Each structure stands twice: as structure tokens, then as C-alpha cells.
Amino acid sequence: MILADTDILARLGDGDLVIDPLADVDTQVQPASVDLRLGLEFLEFRRTNIPCIHPNDEREVDEYVTETHVPEGDDFILHPGDFVLGTTKERVEIPDDLVAHVEGRSSLGRLAIVVHATAGLCDPGYRGQITLELSNLGNAPVALSPGMRVSQLTFTELRSPADRPYGSERGSKYQGQSGPQASRIGDDPEFLGSGAAEDADGTAVE
């Protein structure tokens, strides 16, 4: 079941679903979704002459991106063909019996702005800001203003709560993230060795 506005407001009121700060409830809560605003931080991908990026090489991944902070009142210009990581201004907490879907706003889609490439899911148990995979598929630069409504979340109720929700018990890589986070795919078990990789306390890394 997809939650309607009355369901969303009820879950927010109960406190098990958290969206903070929710600055303008009347504007941000839509009939079956919640609009989220654009944060101040961006990770830009540098032009590079290296043959390729190895996902399991953290040094290469870190050297491939550079952080940009846009002051309040300024714009981030997203040029045609560019791909950057942004973040939501809001921090979310998803309860164990819901899954949230990150969607783009139609008004930005009509300007050829895409807000996620593949990562359109917030698992049950996820807590933190949401990294947005922003790209410009059009022919003209588009100014993105921190604080503007840039994406929306829809919520689907699970038939039963997740038995192993996203979080520290799973060794989830992006739990509690603040600001846009570069790929941590190098922490995946298939890159760390055969079998289920474990971190220092013996927790499986996922």
C-alpha cells in the first residue's frame, strides 16, 4: 500500500517516520508524497586522464570527486552532460515497515534534470540525508538553488516489518550519512574477498 497524505502525516505525528526539518508542511506534503529540498553540498566529478576508475580502489574514487559548497542565495549551475552528487536538506528516518522511493519532480524533469540514476530506494531502517544523483540531459545549463524543492519521496507499507533492516547490524555503508557521499562499492564483499566480508567487530558488510 502506498501512503496517502493523511497516512504520511499520521506516521510523522507518531514519530516513527521522521523528515527533519519539514519546514512547510502544506507545501511539501503532496497527495501521496513529500517534497524534499536541495542541500548546500555537491560532489563534482573531475575530468581525468586515467584509463578508468576501479570501484574497489578507494583512493581512485576519492581523487575523482571534489566537494563544492554553495552559499545560501547562490546557485549551482548544472551544465549539459554533467553528473554531480547532491544531497537533500532534510534528514529522514524510515521505519522498519516502510520503504521510501526517491523520485524526481516533474517540473525539473521538464527541464531535463534527473535526480537519481539508479539509487531510488531508501530501505526500511535507513537514517540520514539522501544523496541525489543529479544529471542534466538537456542542451542548456540549469541553475539549481539550495533550498528549492528538488525531489520527492513516496512510501510503500510492507506486508510485515523487515527482519533485518538497513543499519549497523548489517554493516550498511551509508547509514547516518550527512551530505553527499561518494561510492563505497569497494566495501562490498565481492571486492573484499571470497565469502561474506566482515568488519572489525565481525559484522557482515553490505
Side-chain angles (χ1 to χ4, degrees), residues 18-148:
V18 174
I19 302 174
D20 183 57
L22 190 57
D24 188 339
V25 174
D26 290 340
T27 299
Q28 289 182 253
V29 177
Q30 301 292 323
S33 64
V34 178
D35 287 344
L36 301 183
R37 297 167 296 162
L38 184 64
L40 302 171
E41 301 89 11
F42 299 85
L43 290 182
E44 298 185 71
F45 292 80
R46 300 174 180 170
R47 309 292 181 184
T48 178
N49 293 321
I50 65 174
C52 65
I53 299 295
H54 295 89
N56 60 329
D57 189 328
E58 184 177 352
R59 179 186 55 81
E60 287 185 3
V61 173
D62 287 344
E63 290 180 353
Y64 184 43
V65 297
T66 181
E67 184 171 351
T68 299
H69 185 277
V70 178
E72 291 277 4
D74 286 356
D75 295 326
F76 182 89
I77 308 301
L78 191 62
H79 292 273
D82 277 358
F83 175 81
V84 302
L85 299 180
T87 183
T88 60
K89 189 169 186 177
E90 292 81 7
R91 178 182 181 277
V92 304
E93 294 183 12
I94 311 299
D96 295 350
D97 65 335
L98 294 182
V99 60
H101 303 270
V102 182
E103 308 288 351
R105 293 189 64 219
S106 173
S107 295
L108 282 175
R110 298 174 197 215
L111 296 175
I113 299 300
V114 176
V115 303
H116 73 80
T118 60
L121 189 74
C122 289
D123 277 312
Y126 174 75
R127 300 189 305 275
Q129 291 176 313
I130 298 171
T131 293
L132 303 172
E133 303 157 345
L134 300 162
S135 56
N136 182 347
L137 304 182
N139 297 316
V142 176
L144 301 178
S145 304
M148 70 183 293

Side-chain angles (χ1 to χ4, degrees), residues 151-182:
S151 65
Q152 55 188 353
L153 284 185
T154 62
F155 302 92
T156 302
E157 189 173 42
L158 305 180
R159 182 172 296 179
S160 58
D163 185 52
R164 297 182 63 225
Y166 196 90
S168 58
E169 291 186 5
R170 297 184 64 99
S172 301
K173 298 189 293 288
Y174 305 107
Q175 184 72 309
Q177 69 181 7
S178 177
Q181 300 295 312

